[in-house]
Amino acid sequence: MNITIIYGQKHKGNTWRLAQLFLDQFEEKQITEFYLPESAPAYCSGCLNCIYKGETLCPHAKAVQPIVNALDEADLIVMASPCYVMNMTGQMKTLLDHLAYRYLSHRPEPSMFGKQGLVLSTATGLGARKTAKTIAGNLFFWGVAKIYRFGMPIGAADFDHIPKKRMQKITRKANGIARRIRKKDGRARPGLKTRLMFSIMKLGQKNNDWNPRDREHWVRQGWLKA
Ligand SMILES: Cc1cc2nc3c(=O)[nH]c(=O)nc-3n(C[C@H](O)[C@H](O)[C@H](O)COP(=O)(O)O)c2cc1C
């Protein structure tokens, strides 16, 4: 399995440890990993070049496009962010901003419709679930077929101090999700919600006279045929 993992932090703390719990569950794997902000340090400047002119004209394309290529190569996309003030880290959000042009409303990458996504987050108390949900929302709008979320309140000073019973529960849950991912590898198909959203966006693209770059993409993919 080809796995691309993006860490919303550069240190190997609780979220990294949680990610390893999952990665250990996949035997035959090739992992490509990115740590933020090192891998993509710049904020989106809001120039809209990606959306109107093309992603290669983004001022930060040199950093962003290698990540995009790795996402396209992956069977499983893993996004892992600690919860900072009730949501993802700023650096993770910064990367996601750079990928707006790949939303279903613009130029979704067709291979996303056959991929699986896993979103991980840790918090001390509150916010990990919300963090995972927000990031998962982005994967949904990229068109990722099957998305799993695991937002985990650590409830301890750090990973090594999680009470044994709780750790067993976490491991059980992680194993269960990993099993489902392995089973679906190469066989993920978009669910009803994604298909519905795609149809709505298709209607929009049929009447799109404001962004030729997006419309060309939909025509080239053959998505606007009746
Ligand atoms: C700037 C900052 C903000 C945080 N905000 C929250 C929060 O809103 N809720 C929470 O429960 N924990 C919060 N935490 C704690 C972290 O989410 C928690 O320690 C997490 O497991 C850290 O993961 P890491 O070791 O991968 O960095 C915050 C930590 C930092 C540094």
Side-chain angles (χ1 to χ4, degrees):
M1 190 186 300
N2 206 340
I3 302 173
T4 292
I5 177 159
I6 300 176
Y7 294 100
Q9 80 291 343
K10 63 176 182 180
H11 57 273
K12 295 183 173 172
N14 298 333
T15 315
W16 184 87
R17 293 280 298 275
L18 177 63
Q20 307 321 300
L21 259 188
F22 277 91
L23 295 177
D24 288 348
Q25 299 290 318
F26 304 110
E27 277 178 6
E28 305 241 326
K29 59 184 179 260
Q30 272 190 302
I31 300 177
T32 308
E33 51 185 16
F34 298 93
Y35 290 84
L36 300 174
E38 264 67 14
S39 299
Y43 297 113
C44 167
S45 53
C47 66
L48 291 169
N49 274 356
C50 62
I51 289 177
Y52 288 116
K53 297 180 181 165
E55 59 274 18
T56 54
L57 296 176
C58 166
H60 314 126
K62 213 171 146 192
V64 173
Q65 285 308 308
I67 300 179
V68 167
N69 293 338
L71 292 174
D72 293 351
E73 291 293 313
D75 304 306
L76 173 67
I77 294 171
V78 183
M79 308 288 281
S81 172
C83 166
Y84 283 2
V85 287
M86 299 303 288
N87 219 308
M88 70 186 90
T89 60
Q91 45 273 41
M92 181 65 99
K93 174 70 166 62
T94 291
L95 173 69
L96 294 178
D97 291 345
H98 283 92
L99 302 176
Y101 74 94
R102 292 167 67 96
Y103 263 39
L104 293 171
S105 46
H106 294 290
R107 301 193 301 278
E109 153 64 30
S111 69
M112 291 291 151
F113 300 127
K115 293 187 196 296
Q116 301 195 82
L118 170 64
V119 183
L120 305 174
S121 179
T122 67
T124 305
L126 270 186
R129 289 193 184 94
K130 184 181 165 197
T131 302
K133 191 175 175 191
T134 314
I135 299 172
N138 275 265
L139 268 61
F140 169 78
F141 274 102
W142 297 349
V144 174
K146 184 81 192 142
I147 305 162
Y148 309 82
R149 316 182 220 144
F150 192 22
M152 180 184 135
I154 294 281
D158 58 47
F159 217 80
D160 290 322
H161 292 89
I162 297 172
K164 198 173 162 198
K165 261 200 155 166
R166 196 169 147 62
M167 197 61 215
Q168 283 169 346
K169 200 173 155 195
I170 290 165
T171 309
R172 234 185 356 260
K173 198 168 170 196
N175 291 353
I177 294 175
R179 202 176 317 118
R180 283 158 67 200
I181 292 173
R182 285 196 306 264
K183 215 169 150 192
K184 270 232 176 297
D185 186 30
R187 287 189 285 144
R189 298 289 172 267
L192 182 64
K193 203 173 140 200
T194 305
R195 285 185 276 131
L196 198 65
M197 187 57 75
F198 182 86
S199 302
I200 294 168
M201 296 306 157
K202 180 173 166 176
L203 280 180
Q205 289 300 334
K206 278 192 169 164
N207 299 308
N208 176 358
D209 56 4
W210 58 280
N211 187 340
R213 185 73 187 74
D214 282 359
R215 200 186 143 83
E216 272 163 29
H217 177 78
W218 282 70
V219 170
R220 206 174 329 114
Q221 298 301 335
W223 290 338
L224 295 188
K225 288 176 195 156

